[in-house]
Amino acid sequence: MAEVVFVHGVSKQYLSEDSLARDVVPELLGGVRLAGGPVPANDDVGVAFYGDVFRLSGTRSSHYPHYEAADVESEEEFALLMTWWAEAARTDPGVPSPDEAGGRGAAGWAATRALRLRAVRAALNALTGARYLRGVLDQALIGDLKQLTGYFTDLSVRSTARERLAARITPQTRVVVAHSLGSVVAYETLCDERFNAGWDVHALVTLGSPLGMGSLVLDRLQPAAKDRRAQWPVPLRSWTNIADATDIVAAVRELRPHFGPRVTDLTVHNGVHMHDATRYLTAVETGRAIAAGLVGPDGDARYGNGRCAT
């Protein structure tokens, strides 16, 4: 019966709902505390977990598969990787742009299979050399882009993720906080008429969201956007979208033009961990948005059905 539900992003396939909750719930509560709002009780915050749907069956590995450049196979994976590269170059002076590397843009790189493979290797080299991605392995980057693109191509993954979140949202849920790919899951679930009857979600808070990324995400949403203007989820009252200024996953940082005037777009600074969920959750902007969502229409704060953490 959680009043706040958190939805995670990519790279959680080797975690569980419980291990993820140990990380994110204290940070979420801490962000609300920093914002000066009464803090919900721990058991008033729930986690919608779907990371296991991306775990390869029959493996005991605690690491990504050993992906290499040649494993970036689909057009969607290639386009997403090139978008990340271009965005990293825009925000980090130390990263060469696709145009500078070899004197060709993304379209030119894709002309032949050999050029495309060279482009993938160049993109991976550029991204892992970015100041906020140092230490990130190629296979982790490839694994992340496969999860984001795979959500749209694997019907089982998409359906399971939405069902897991829907099972966590109740008529008492007031705030949904969604990070990265979780923001796509949250948007589609809140729009899904199979689930949303009786829901009254005061606020959606999206963190590092890729929802505004044109043909890669926005054009593939359910329900479909029309002329890149997406539908507003019926049970939702307000929406705060928060993005780090250098977050390459949130390449389109303003969602208001695509999702309507009830979206408030805010920018934060997460340091070198630009896409990290815990950095987003401890930002005072996130805490304020969650606290505002927990205030009822009459102006009274409704934390934990009247219970606040001390």
Side-chain angles (χ1 to χ4, degrees):
M1 305 292 283
E3 290 204 31
V4 181
V5 175
F6 175 80
V7 197
H8 66 83
V10 298
S11 302
K12 306 302 183 211
Q13 65 269 30
Y14 300 118
L15 298 181
S16 67
E17 178 180 322
D18 300 283
S19 59
L20 183 62
R22 285 198 300 270
D23 289 336
V24 300
V25 172
E27 305 295 2
L28 187 152
L29 299 178
V32 176
R33 193 186 306 278
L34 288 171
V39 182
N42 281 45
D43 58 359
D44 286 322
V45 181
V47 172
F49 184 76
Y50 62 93
D52 57 300
V53 301
F54 290 112
R55 184 167 183 161
L56 299 179
S57 60
T59 179
R60 297 180 181 177
S61 172
S62 60
H63 304 285
Y64 276 103
H66 190 68
Y67 290 125
E68 298 179 344
D71 293 310
V72 179
E73 299 171 324
S74 72
E75 294 297 326
E76 292 81 8
E77 291 171 1
F78 179 74
L80 179 58
L81 181 63
M82 297 300 284
T83 299
W84 285 353
W85 181 8
E87 185 62 16
R90 189 186 69 79
T91 59
D92 185 344
V95 175
S97 72
D99 294 316
E100 293 169 343
R104 65 182 81 243
W109 278 116
T112 67
R113 172 66 180 171
L115 281 175
R116 183 160 135 168
L117 185 58
R118 284 177 54 195
V120 171
R121 288 179 177 140
L124 293 171
N125 290 339
L127 286 168
T128 55
R131 65 178 182 270
Y132 38 76
L133 287 173
R134 290 193 181 108
V136 177
L137 300 177
D138 288 357
Q139 54 260 43
L141 282 172
I142 297 171
D144 287 354
L145 69 89
K146 282 183 175 293
Q147 287 190 14
L148 180 54
T149 58
Y151 175 83
F152 293 104
T153 57
D154 189 322
L155 295 179
S156 176
V157 165
R158 196 172 197 168
S159 177
T160 300
R162 288 158 65 167
E163 289 170 359
R164 297 273 184 90
L165 174 55
R168 276 297 193 178
I169 299 176
T170 72
Q172 287 71 44
T173 300
R174 295 294 173 258
V175 182
V176 174
V177 183
H179 176 243
S180 189
L181 174 59
S183 67
V184 181
V185 179
Y187 172 77
E188 293 194 334
T189 305
L190 288 169
C191 287
D192 197 326
E193 295 180 351
R194 295 175 301 164
F195 305 126
N196 65 18
W199 290 353
D200 181 18
V201 179
H202 293 182
L204 171 63
V205 182
T206 50
L207 311 172
S209 174
L211 276 165
M213 294 177 65
S215 60
L216 291 171
V217 177
L218 182 62
D219 294 346
R220 306 172 76 187
L221 292 174
Q222 296 175 350
K226 297 180 180 179
D227 298 323
R228 295 200 168 167
R229 296 297 302 269
Q231 295 184 38
W232 183 264
V234 171
L236 180 63
R237 299 191 189 188
S238 68
W239 183 343
T240 301
N241 176 59
I242 300 172
D244 179 274
T246 60
D247 191 341
I248 62 172
V249 176
V252 178
R253 290 171 180 77
E254 294 187 359
L255 298 185
R256 185 184 180 96
H258 302 296
F259 293 89
R262 282 185 280 178
V263 177
T264 299
D265 291 303
L266 300 176
T267 301
V268 296
H269 298 278
N270 292 335
V272 294
H273 299 284
M274 47 87 185
H275 191 61
D276 187 80
T278 58
R279 296 288 179 101
Y280 274 116
L281 289 170
T282 56
V284 69
E285 292 86 351
T286 303
R288 286 177 185 149
I290 295 171
L294 286 167
V295 174
D298 54 3
D300 293 330
R302 295 173 180 168
Y303 291 90
N305 297 312
R307 299 176 298 117
C308 299
T310 57

